[in-house]
Amino acid sequence: MPKSQVRKKKVYTPPTDVRPTATAATRKPSPVWLPITAVALIVAGIGWLVVYYLSEQEYPVMSWGYWNLAVGFGAMVASLILLSRWR
């Protein structure tokens, strides 16, 4: 069995002017309102859907019909988007 070749090149290191300057330690923490708003949106979305189903699709807004589902799930998706920004 032949012997494998020894690597002659050095490992690549990017130049210092290209490296990102912001580290995890220098990032500011998220504001206090962000997790509070996210939790409120989750609770509001779940509450909207529960009321919609338990009222047999008469409440919260009867004329919206199935758009009530979009409002409930939209609130929960908005909370997930907010929570993705949380540090």
Side-chain angles (χ1 to χ4, degrees), residues 43 51 68:
V43 170
V51 168
N68 284 304

Side-chain angles (χ1 to χ4, degrees), residues 3-65:
K3 186 177 178 183
S4 63
Q5 295 288 329
V6 177
R7 184 177 176 123
K8 295 177 184 177
K9 290 186 194 178
K10 292 183 179 180
V11 176
Y12 175 75
T13 55
T16 57
D17 58 338
V18 180
R19 292 182 188 164
T21 57
T23 62
T26 60
R27 290 184 179 175
K28 294 180 182 176
S30 59
V32 175
W33 61 266
L34 195 136
I36 295 170
T37 306
V39 169
L41 279 171
I42 289 173
V43 170
I46 292 172
W48 191 283
L49 293 174
V50 167
V51 168
Y52 178 68
Y53 278 115
L54 290 180
S55 69
E56 296 178 357
Q57 304 170 356
E58 291 183 18
Y59 297 106
V61 181
M62 186 175 176
S63 63
W64 288 358

